[in-house]
Amino acid sequence: MTDRSTQHGSFVIERTYESSPTEVFTAWADPTAKARWFVGPPDWKETLRELDFRVGGRERLNGVFPGGRTTAFDALYWDIAPNRRLVYTYDMHAGGKRISVSLATVEFTPTGDATRLIFTEQAVFLDGFDDAGGREKGTRAHLDRLDTALRSGSAR
Amino acid sequence: MTERSVTHATFVIERSYDASPARVFAAFADPVAKAHWFAGAEPGQGRYELDFRVGGRERNSGGEPDGPVYTFEARYHDIVPDRRIVSTYYMHVDEIRISVSLATVEFKPERGGTRQIYTEQGAFLDGHDTPAVREQGTRGVLDTLDAALRERAI
């Protein structure tokens, strides 16, 4: 019998971006803008990208590492309040195995000329292939890349 | 501007059933059995649908006459027969989306019966529902499952 386990976890990341909520929201909603920051680590190569940004729409991002290990992100959008909030769920696969199922909420709040972003992920990590600590670290890297993209103006 | 808020919460409900993991799992996997305890309806009446496979959808809607219509719609993400089911779902009241949840159900053999662990991680939207009310509602639904298994109705 294969070992089956689940580990439930959650984490919250807060960031402030020197851009308007509309600009930050667009960086998530527009496929070209999102492709500038929502990528894997430097040695990872993208093999498939799709974003159908609407309630019920799907997003996919597949890639491969030099050793041949594949990754697949497969998301579904459940709630979209323009410039305010996103709720999506996603499966992560690594090496062909489903390693987690997550519920992610992104909230955008204006603070002066800037935007406060609150990212909350609630997840179940399957069969010991990943954990909340690893996922939080990866998500922080994405939100760092979003900051760089917004500063350079390339996320718009 | 409409008020937007999100309350994140997790609750866990553990139950023991005097039925094998295969029988308890079947209560979730078989559309006729699940309609009996989960939807209180026969399938094919147009208000309950279950496509139990990874990527499949489940839908139930109903309510009191002249009252609001409650709609539940789920997607299945992970299925390990007799062991585990991971799904996500939203709840609507009329056209208002009140929550999006991630639900994990685990089944473990225990002294001839089954230990079931239900974990819900939810995002409750705009103050339309609360984790406490959802947990209470879920406990009620699992009571109905327990009764159906005991009565061998499913």
Side-chain angles (χ1 to χ4, degrees), chain A residues 15-27 108-117 146-156:
Chain A
R15 290 292 171 96
T16 298
Y17 297 107
E18 299 296 328
S19 303
S20 68
T22 305
E23 288 169 321
V24 181
F25 182 85
T26 301
F108 308 89
T109 312
T111 54
D113 293 335
T115 301
R116 189 87 180 142
L117 179 147
L146 170 58
D147 191 40
T148 305
L150 287 166
R151 283 175 192 279
S152 71
S154 66
R156 286 168 217 164

Side-chain angles (χ1 to χ4, degrees), chain B residues 23-79:
Chain B
R23 225 182 120 214
V24 180
F25 181 84
F28 285 82
D30 177 64
V32 176
K34 189 155 185 191
H36 181 88
W37 66 270
F38 181 74
E42 300 301 318
Q45 291 183 345
R47 62 186 282 271
Y48 182 70
E49 298 163 30
L50 171 60
D51 179 14
F52 190 77
R53 58 188 170 89
V54 171
R57 201 174 83 144
E58 179 178 16
R59 191 179 159 87
N60 187 37
S61 67
E64 299 296 320
D66 306 321
V69 176
Y70 289 82
T71 303
F72 160 96
E73 187 172 318
R75 294 278 182 146
Y76 285 88
H77 294 258
D78 186 69
I79 296 173

Side-chain angles (χ1 to χ4, degrees), chain B residues 18-122:
Chain B
D18 187 16
S20 67
R23 225 182 120 214
V24 180
F25 181 84
F28 285 82
D30 177 64
V32 176
K34 189 155 185 191
H36 181 88
W37 66 270
F38 181 74
E42 300 301 318
Q45 291 183 345
R47 62 186 282 271
Y48 182 70
E49 298 163 30
L50 171 60
D51 179 14
F52 190 77
R53 58 188 170 89
V54 171
R57 201 174 83 144
E58 179 178 16
R59 191 179 159 87
N60 187 37
S61 67
E64 299 296 320
D66 306 321
V69 176
Y70 289 82
T71 303
F72 160 96
E73 187 172 318
R75 294 278 182 146
Y76 285 88
H77 294 258
D78 186 69
I79 296 173
V80 182
D82 305 342
R83 310 283 293 275
R84 178 171 79 201
I85 301 168
V86 180
S87 62
T88 54
Y89 75 91
Y90 70 57
M91 280 294 297
H92 280 194
V93 176
D94 290 331
E95 300 306 310
I96 300 168
R97 188 174 301 110
I98 65 171
S99 63
V100 184
S101 299
L102 167 60
T104 308
V105 194
E106 294 165 86
F107 308 97
K108 294 175 181 174
E110 169 190 76
R111 293 187 299 275
T114 303
R115 185 84 179 151
Q116 179 203 33
I117 305 166
Y118 176 93
T119 305
E120 177 159 336
Q121 296 163 284

Side-chain angles (χ1 to χ4, degrees), chain A residues 48-126:
Chain A
L48 175 91
R49 180 185 291 274
E50 296 172 0
L51 172 57
D52 179 13
F53 190 78
R54 59 186 169 90
V55 172
R58 188 177 176 190
E59 179 177 14
R60 296 176 71 193
L61 180 61
N62 294 358
V64 62
F65 285 101
R69 187 168 182 259
T70 59
T71 65
F73 163 92
D74 191 345
L76 189 62
Y77 286 87
W78 295 78
D79 186 70
I80 296 173
N83 307 328
R84 311 282 293 277
R85 181 172 75 201
L86 300 177
V87 181
Y88 60 94
T89 56
Y90 73 93
D91 293 358
M92 265 311 294
H93 291 84
K97 288 190 166 68
R98 187 177 303 106
I99 64 169
S100 63
V101 183
S102 299
L103 168 60
T105 307
V106 192
E107 295 165 87
F108 308 89
T109 312
T111 54
D113 293 335
T115 301
R116 189 87 180 142
L117 179 147
I118 305 171
F119 180 96
T120 305
E121 179 158 334
Q122 296 161 282
V124 56
F125 297 95
L126 305 174

